[in-house]
């Protein structure tokens, strides 16, 4: 355990140097122990996501950054797809934020908002099974896909939910999209379009990710995808508008 912790601290220091956070480091040492541990854990999580840590750390933290053994580990994102076409900008990150209704209250934002023109197509991030379609929550018209221990959620889509022979499906007739619960969808397949349904102040895709039932910052996954794409091993980790 002692050797492992030493390796952890070395990798955190390497991450700090890599990201030019040296000036901030002096401020960290004055934090209470609990907050200092939280900062260290956040840095380690980021290091794991972007591939800056060594193999021993990856093995120790595998439960937090790998999908199940039948799939591929974090950092091997071959075939994963950027989830929205005509991407413009990120409008709201994962984590604590001011409420978008203009009030001074704060809320925890469990996803990443990606602005795109209304009607832009949404692509499935990774191959999986559609486990839920819905249109009766703040998420608006939405699709949830299960990929092993990963769950990806797509909100504020165009269209609505209908039922036939006891089975539910999301239908967007103008966009020629029909997605059934229980359907298998490949990575990169168009599963909807950016809309204005649910609680939203503008056209965007709210993209949420869970791993083993726990929320994950999608930005960390995208950074890992970009890193792999830069090395020439991933072919679909960039927005459609940039290809």
């Amino acid at each position: 355990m002692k050797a492992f912790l030493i390796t952890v601290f070395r990798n955190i220091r390497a991450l700090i140097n890599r990201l030019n956070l040296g000036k901030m480091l002096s401020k960290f040492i004055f934090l209470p122990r609990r907050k200092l541990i939280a900062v260290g854990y956040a840095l380690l999580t980021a290091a794991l996501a972007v591939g800056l840590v060594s193999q021993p750390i990856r093995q120790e933290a595998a439960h937090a950054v790998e999908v199940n053994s039948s799939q591929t580990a974090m950092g091997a994102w071959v075939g994963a797809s950027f989830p929205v076409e005509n991407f413009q900008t990120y409008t709201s990150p994962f984590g604590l934020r001011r409420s978008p209704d203009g009030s001074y209250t704060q809320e925890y934002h469990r996803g990443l908002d990606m602005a795109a023109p209304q009607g832009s197509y949404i692509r499935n991030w990774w191959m999986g099974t559609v486990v839920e379609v819905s249109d009766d929550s703040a998420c608006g018209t939405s699709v949830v896909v299960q990929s092993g221990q990963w769950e990806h959620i797509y909100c504020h889509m165009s269209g609505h939910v209908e039922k036939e022979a006891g089975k539910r499906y999301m239908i967007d007739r103008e966009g020629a999209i029909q997605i059934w619960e229980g359907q298998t969808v490949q990575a990169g397949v168009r599963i909807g379009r950016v809309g204005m349904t649910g609680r939203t102040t503008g056209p965007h895709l709210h993209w949420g990710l869970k791993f083993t039932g726990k929320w994950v910052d999608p930005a960390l996954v995208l950074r890992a995808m970009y890193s792999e794409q830069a090395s020439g091993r991933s072919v679909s980790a960039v927005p459609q508008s940039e290809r």
Side-chain angles (χ1 to χ4, degrees), residues 219-241:
L220 298 180
V221 171
L222 290 179
R223 287 175 192 141
M225 288 170 56
Y226 289 142
S227 177
E228 184 143 331
Q229 187 273 337
S231 70
R233 291 175 294 181
S234 181
V235 295
S236 57
V238 296
Q240 181 75 9
S241 59

Side-chain angles (χ1 to χ4, degrees), residues 11-12 14-15 18-19 43-58 65 73-77 219-228 231 233:
N11 280 280
I12 290 176
L15 178 64
R18 177 81 172 267
L19 300 180
L43 287 171
L44 177 58
T45 301
L48 286 164
V50 299
L52 295 179
V53 298
S54 62
Q55 186 62 28
I57 299 296
R58 288 185 177 277
V65 296
M74 173 87 82
W77 299 107
L220 298 180
V221 171
L222 290 179
R223 287 175 192 141
M225 288 170 56
Y226 289 142
S227 177
E228 184 143 331
S231 70
R233 291 175 294 181

Side-chain angles (χ1 to χ4, degrees), residues 105-150:
T105 60
Q106 288 190 318
E107 62 183 22
Y108 202 85
H109 187 230
R110 294 177 173 83
L112 179 64
D113 288 351
M114 304 176 179
Q118 190 166 353
S120 299
Y121 281 97
I122 295 167
R123 291 179 177 265
N124 184 43
W125 168 61
W126 213 342
M127 184 183 75
T129 302
V130 177
V131 294
E132 182 184 6
V133 295
S134 177
D135 62 1
D136 58 357
S137 72
C139 193
T141 299
S142 61
V143 172
V144 181
V145 179
Q146 188 80 38
S147 302
Q149 295 185 62
W150 288 96

Side-chain angles (χ1 to χ4, degrees), residues 141-194:
T141 299
S142 61
V143 172
V144 181
V145 179
Q146 188 80 38
S147 302
Q149 295 185 62
W150 288 96
E151 186 175 275
H152 25 128
I153 301 97
Y154 306 81
C155 298
H156 309 309
M157 304 166 80
S158 297
H160 61 278
V161 173
E162 294 185 4
K163 183 183 290 188
E164 181 179 312
K167 295 188 66 175
R168 291 162 53 86
Y169 60 93
M170 188 280 286
I171 182 76
D172 175 6
R173 290 184 172 85
E174 186 177 344
I177 297 289
Q178 187 173 13
I179 300 293
W180 293 80
E181 288 185 343
Q183 175 182 345
T184 298
V185 286
Q186 301 295 320
V189 169
R190 288 174 168 175
I191 58 172
R193 294 188 306 148
V194 172

